[in-house]
Amino acid sequence: MTIIGEFGRQVGPLRRALLRATRAADGLPDLPEAHIEVLRVLTGQDGLSTVEVAERLRLARPTVSNLLGAMERGGLVELIRDGADRRRVTIKISAYAADLLIRYDAACEHALAEAVARLGADDRAALERIVPVLPQLTELLCDPCEPGSAR
């Protein structure tokens, strides 16, 4: 087993453990990770189309449409229909969801800080070296992906 193979196998369990710890830390609702990703894309935007959300998340438009329907029913997003073409919508994050996302981020940071504090000095140093590389690694992995393609 290579270190790269092991890294790949550990990413999913780490992500799920972090989400569980985050939810438990602040009694947050059980939002699916996909909903959180959509909310992150919408944060700070005046509104995006379904196509724009799909492109930014590199997901198929029908997948995003299904997510948005569930999120609208849950009060997380507002879908504003175009008066001339009812098929066109602008998506905005709700005030409720914006508050939840702030709480998720704070709880996530707190949970991670507590866990990292229990690591040894060498492990903390290794983590400090890898974190700045993660966004670049994400982009390199997504580079061959066509925006809007299903994964």
Side-chain angles (χ1 to χ4, degrees):
M1 165 130 8
T2 67
I3 191 71
I4 298 301
E6 186 59 26
F7 176 75
R9 279 184 278 289
Q10 292 300 323
V11 169
L14 173 64
R15 190 183 74 246
R16 287 187 298 278
L18 180 57
L19 194 52
R20 277 191 308 274
T22 298
R23 288 176 182 142
D26 197 19
L28 290 160
D30 190 14
L31 288 182
E33 189 173 358
H35 289 192
I36 295 169
E37 288 183 34
V38 170
L39 295 176
R40 288 198 192 293
V41 165
L42 294 172
T43 297
Q45 302 295 317
D46 287 334
L48 297 174
S49 70
T50 305
V51 170
E52 289 170 317
V53 173
E55 287 174 351
R56 291 179 187 200
L57 291 174
R58 292 181 169 99
L59 293 172
R61 192 201 48 76
T63 301
V64 171
S65 292
N66 290 337
L67 284 170
L68 292 171
M71 293 174 74
E72 181 183 36
R73 289 187 295 278
L76 300 172
V77 296
E78 299 171 34
L79 303 183
I80 303 158
R81 304 222 177 267
D82 185 306
D85 182 353
R86 302 292 293 164
R87 296 172 298 173
R88 293 183 57 150
V89 296
T90 300
I91 304 112
K92 293 186 176 186
I93 187 171
S94 71
Y96 166 69
D99 178 62
L100 272 181
L101 197 55
I102 290 168
R103 289 175 54 207
Y104 262 89
D105 287 345
C108 178
E109 186 171 345
H110 179 75
L112 272 172
E114 284 188 346
V116 169
R118 296 192 322 246
L119 292 174
D122 289 346
D123 291 336
R124 284 193 307 274
L127 185 61
E128 288 176 15
R129 286 190 304 275
I130 191 66
V131 169
V133 177
L134 294 177
Q136 181 183 358
L137 184 58
T138 300
E139 283 304 312
L140 290 169
L141 288 167
C142 290
D143 201 21
C145 299
E146 289 295 320
S149 66
R151 289 198 272 167

